[in-house]
Amino acid sequence: MTGLSYMLGQGDALFFLKQDVIQGDILMLVGAVIYATYGVCLKRWKMPFSNWTLVYIQCVIASLFLAPLWLSSARLLPTPESIPLIGYAGMAASLLAPWLWVKSIEHIGADSSAMFMNLLPVFTIILAVLLTKEQIHTFHLIGSLVAILGVLLSQYKQLNGISGSKTSIKPTQ
């Protein structure tokens, strides 16, 4: 979290302490709690569904939540320019990414999968540089390095059975 805070604060580690709380912050907090609850539930109870069924259920629920927003918008039909973006969001971000995430939970567990979520900003920076020629700054590099080291450290601890609790974590094969 230190690396991500450093990166998002553009080099100012205390950036978040200087900001006002806004509606988006509360929504992110609610989303983080729901995500954490989902991860705990996946760890404790094995779902009796296939991976594709889980992805389908997630898509249906997301569609139900997003439909009122779409129906209340001024423009219902997408523009021709937005079709490729909708295709990407529909295929890569809404189908492939959740399916790979469910597969990762199946193979390495919810804890390890959650740790790898900390790499999302790192890959976002890489894609922004490659696709949009975004300029990379020192705080991007430092924040990315700290995030990567944090993930590596967590995986090292799990692979070697090092834990703060009395029960050791065994890697799944």
Side-chain angles (χ1 to χ4, degrees):
M1 295 306 283
T2 303
L4 299 176
S5 297
Y6 189 81
M7 193 177 349
L8 294 173
Q10 298 181 352
D12 182 6
L14 302 176
F15 170 78
F16 292 107
L17 298 176
K18 300 173 188 173
Q19 301 299 312
D20 293 330
V21 177
I22 58 173
Q23 181 183 8
D25 297 333
I26 296 168
L27 291 174
M28 286 302 295
L29 182 61
V30 170
V33 169
I34 290 171
Y35 173 72
T37 304
Y38 181 67
V40 169
C41 289
L42 280 178
K43 183 177 180 180
R44 294 183 186 242
W45 300 292
K46 174 74 173 132
M47 293 288 195
F49 306 114
S50 71
N51 292 338
W52 282 115
T53 304
L54 285 173
V55 171
Y56 177 76
I57 291 169
Q58 290 175 9
C59 288
V60 168
I61 291 171
S63 297
L64 290 174
F65 276 95
L66 293 175
L69 294 173
W70 175 64
L71 292 172
S72 67
S73 68
R75 184 178 191 140
L76 293 179
L77 295 177
T79 62
E81 296 83 21
S82 66
I83 298 296
L85 298 172
I86 293 170
Y88 164 77
M91 296 303 291
S94 296
L95 290 177
L96 185 61
W99 182 76
L100 289 171
W101 182 66
V102 170
K103 288 296 279 184
S104 73
I105 290 173
E106 180 182 305
H107 288 286
I108 64 174
D111 296 340
S112 293
S113 294
M115 276 301 177
F116 283 99
M117 294 293 273
N118 290 313
L119 295 177
L120 281 175
V122 176
F123 286 107
T124 302
I125 291 168
I126 292 169
L127 289 173
V129 169
L130 294 175
L131 299 177
T132 66
K133 308 297 184 231
E134 184 74 27
Q135 186 177 1
I136 195 161
H137 299 282
T138 307
F139 62 83
H140 289 126
L141 297 173
I142 293 171
S144 296
L145 182 64
V146 172
I148 291 167
L149 288 174
V151 170
L152 289 174
L153 180 62
S154 73
Q155 297 308 302
Y156 173 78
K157 286 175 68 175
Q158 287 187 2
L159 288 174
N160 291 308
I162 301 169
S163 175
S165 65
K166 293 183 181 182
T167 59
S168 63
I169 299 170
K170 301 292 184 204
T172 56
Q173 298 295 332

